Amino acid sequence: MTTQSDLLPPGSVIGILGGGQLGRMLSLAAARLGLRTHIYNPQADCPAGDVTNRITVGDYEDTDRLIEFANQCDAVTYEFENVPTITAKTVSTITPLRPNARALDVAQDRLTEKTFLRDEVGVGVAGFEAVNNEFDLKRALKRMGYPGVLKTRRFGYDGKGQLILRSDGDIAGAWDRLGGQPLILEAFIPFKREVSVIAARGVDGTCRAFPLTENIHRNHILHQSLAPAENDTGQAQDMAFKILTALNYVGVMGTEFFELEDGTLLVNEIAPRVHNSGHWTQDAGCVDQFEQHIRAVAGWPLGDPTPLYTVEMTNLIGKDVETWPDIMTGSDSHLHLYGKGETRPGRKMGHVNKVMKF
Ligand code: AMP
């Protein structure tokens, strides 16, 4: 049960590590609830900077600056998973860090993550092996067979830091191409579709989840999310709740899955934060993922995640953003722009939610 002492009253300050578009949308949601936000970011000019009450500009490893920041916050959260361990430790000695540092440790390293999911939570994942040199790679491929997906353990995103190996001929140079760093080899999963679930856990342990979302990628970057996805058995939500509980997690978490032909779900990865595949919730007529996260971090009761509309979310990447005047004219389309000055190829500039009644 949530007790009165867990609740941060309106006017409280939520610190957010990171000033990108997720920090921006979290700040907007917090403002709606009468809460203030304080962004910590290495640059002053950032998407969240336009809409937050305060910003501290500092390096993530500048402990003095972090201590100063944390002392001005009633709770701190983050909008990216590569928050350095030292940053998380420094902040959490001063004020509650939600989600906790363990969630970061698990999500930052694909080997730790897959081992945790398989052995501690007991959910399905692709077969995997640690690869620390070319010899390990040959041995692992012999055991697992082709094709295999070779990935960096840390700092991979949007398909960066990974290679598909289809035959012995692909081995030479693979280790070097991925930077000669600790890797993980995963079995290639011939999935039917990629789906995700945005789930939240409150301070009192209550878990709630939005319906299943189907995700379509282009050039390894999320292009569209369709929600609610067809054939939602509730299995993905149950798996997400197990993960949240095992981590003693507080906040919103995104969980990405591969769905096989027979309906089996394998967890691909978890994101300990609000997630691009949950942006559709902003126009679905229910609580959205940003408000849900802020509620959890503030110790407030979670909102009802049952949508009133179906939504097709499309990311506006690079020059796609130039279509914004056309989007504005559609009565069923809701435009969200992130206030980024420079348009670059591959850069997420905004998104559009096209809604339809059920
Ligand atoms: P990731 O960075 O792990 O999210 O991978 C990016 C994309 O690569 C995923 O969304 C999948 O489309 C694809 N992918 C990653 N791992 C695998 C795998 N083990 N089997 C098949 N496709 C994969």
Side-chain angles (χ1 to χ4, degrees), residues 35-66:
L35 293 160
R36 292 162 198 272
T37 55
H38 186 157
I39 299 289
Y40 191 97
N41 196 59
Q43 297 86 27
D45 183 18
C46 60
D50 294 344
V51 299
T52 186
N53 300 84
R54 282 198 78 166
I55 179 162
T56 292
V57 178
D59 234 52
Y60 287 117
E61 301 192 355
D62 182 341
T63 45
D64 291 341
R65 206 96 178 98
L66 282 166

Side-chain angles (χ1 to χ4, degrees), residues 110 126 149 151 156-160 162 164 186-191 194 217 220 256 258 268-269:
R110 291 185 196 272
V149 186
K151 302 181 179 179
Y157 69 99
D158 289 344
K160 291 189 174 61
Q162 63 173 273
I164 297 185
E186 291 178 17
F188 180 86
I189 305 300
F191 53 79
E194 290 188 85
H217 296 86
H220 291 286
E256 296 179 27
F258 298 134
N268 176 31
E269 63 183 1

Side-chain angles (χ1 to χ4, degrees), residues 1-8 202-206 298-302:
M1 240 191 67
T2 310
T3 62
Q4 209 58 30
S5 63
D6 293 325
L7 291 173
L8 298 183
V203 168
D204 64 355
T206 306
W300 293 15
L302 299 181

Side-chain angles (χ1 to χ4, degrees), residues 111-180:
L111 182 65
T112 312
E113 178 181 44
K114 289 237 155 45
T115 307
F116 162 78
L117 292 168
R118 183 190 64 189
D119 301 345
E120 211 173 307
V121 189
V123 291
V125 293
F128 64 93
E129 283 200 36
V131 168
N132 291 317
N133 49 50
E134 210 167 285
F135 175 75
D136 283 357
L137 178 59
K138 285 183 184 150
R139 200 176 48 182
L141 280 165
K142 205 167 252 169
R143 270 202 287 260
M144 285 174 35
Y146 289 101
V149 186
L150 189 63
K151 302 181 179 179
T152 56
R153 281 173 55 177
R154 303 177 78 89
F155 300 112
Y157 69 99
D158 289 344
K160 291 189 174 61
Q162 63 173 273
L163 293 173
I164 297 185
L165 305 180
R166 298 188 187 279
S167 68
D168 286 352
D170 292 337
I171 296 180
W175 168 260
D176 289 334
R177 275 174 67 196
L178 290 181

